[in-house]
Amino acid sequence: MADCVSAGMLMVALRLLLIPVTALVCLGGCASGRVPEAIRDSALPSPAVTEVQQRPETFIGQRMRWGGSILEVHNAPDTTRIEILARALNGSGEPEDTTRGLGRFIVELPGFKDPAEYPQQRRLTVVGPLVRMETRDVGEYPYPYPVLAGDVWYLWPDPPTVAAPLPYDYPWYRPWYGPFYGPWSGPWYGPWY
C-alpha cells in the first residue's frame, strides 16, 4: 500500500513539474523562431547604400541584407514598393533607432501590403537581390535609389512604451507640501488623508 501511495505522489509531482517545463520550452521556441534566419544571418553582405549608389554595376544581382525606417508605401497591381531610410543593423538584423540615416533605398515586396500595417517610422529588415537603380526626386534633388527585390522580410514590433518616472524622487512628496504648509512645518508633517 505504501508503494502505491509513493508512486501516486511521484506521478503528481512529475505532472506539476511538467507544466512549467513545457511552458518554458514553448515560450523559448516562440521567442527564437519569429525572426527569419536570413534576417539574423550577419554573414550576408550589407554594403553601405552610398557605396552601392557610387558603383551600382558591382552590386547588381547580389543578395544583401538592409534595414531601416519606413518612409512611404506604394501599392502597385502585383507588388508593394516601400521606401526606407537605411539604418545600421545590430547582430540580429534589427535596425537601430539611435543611428542616423545611412541613405535611402526601395524594396519591392510581392503582393499587397497594407500601409496601415507598414506605417511610417516602423522598422523593417529585408533580404534580397539588388535588381536596379532608380532615380526619384527627394524635394527637388534627383536621388539615386537602389532597388531590392525582397524575398525575406521582417517587420519589427514597435518598442514598448515606458511610463516616464515622476519628477520627484521622494515617493510621498507632492509639490503643495511646501516648507510652510499649515501650522506644522518640517519634513515629518504634511496633509493626512
Side-chain angles (χ1 to χ4, degrees):
M1 179 96 166
D3 290 335
C4 290
V5 171
S6 63
M9 291 173 59
L10 179 63
M11 291 301 291
V12 169
L14 286 175
R15 285 183 187 154
L16 290 174
L17 183 61
L18 186 64
I19 293 170
V21 168
T22 304
L24 285 174
V25 168
C26 289
L27 289 175
C30 291
S32 63
R34 288 182 40 154
V35 179
E37 181 64 35
I39 299 295
R40 291 183 277 135
D41 185 11
S42 59
L44 279 172
S46 300
V49 172
T50 54
E51 184 180 350
V52 172
Q53 289 170 329
Q54 292 170 358
R55 298 179 299 125
E57 65 282 346
T58 308
F59 298 100
I60 296 289
Q62 281 190 16
R63 189 172 164 83
M64 52 189 65
R65 178 182 73 145
W66 280 344
S69 304
I70 295 174
L71 297 175
E72 290 183 26
V73 176
H74 300 282
N75 283 298
D78 55 350
T79 61
T80 300
R81 296 169 50 88
I82 302 176
E83 184 179 333
I84 299 175
L85 178 63
R87 302 218 184 259
L89 303 178
N90 65 16
S92 62
E94 183 176 4
E96 296 181 354
D97 282 337
T98 58
T99 61
R100 65 180 191 78
L102 303 174
R104 295 175 177 220
F105 68 96
I106 294 173
V107 62
E108 293 179 340
L109 301 179
F112 174 80
K113 304 297 179 249
D114 194 336
E117 292 180 6
Y118 289 77
Q120 288 185 350
Q121 300 307 315
R122 189 80 179 266
R123 295 168 302 139
L124 179 70
T125 303
V126 296
V127 174
L130 179 69
V131 290
R132 68 182 175 280
M133 294 295 293
E134 187 175 297
T135 302
R136 295 175 58 191
D137 289 339
V138 176
E140 294 184 21
Y141 182 81
Y143 190 86
Y145 283 88
V147 180
L148 291 181
D151 49 24
V152 179
W153 63 92
Y154 185 72
L155 185 64
W156 296 92
D158 283 332
T161 57
V162 178
L166 296 175
Y168 17 83
D169 32 6
Y170 186 64
W172 296 282
Y173 171 78
R174 300 289 183 266
W176 56 83
Y177 276 98
F180 304 109
Y181 184 85
W184 305 285
S185 63
W188 303 280
Y189 298 99
W192 296 9
Y193 46 91

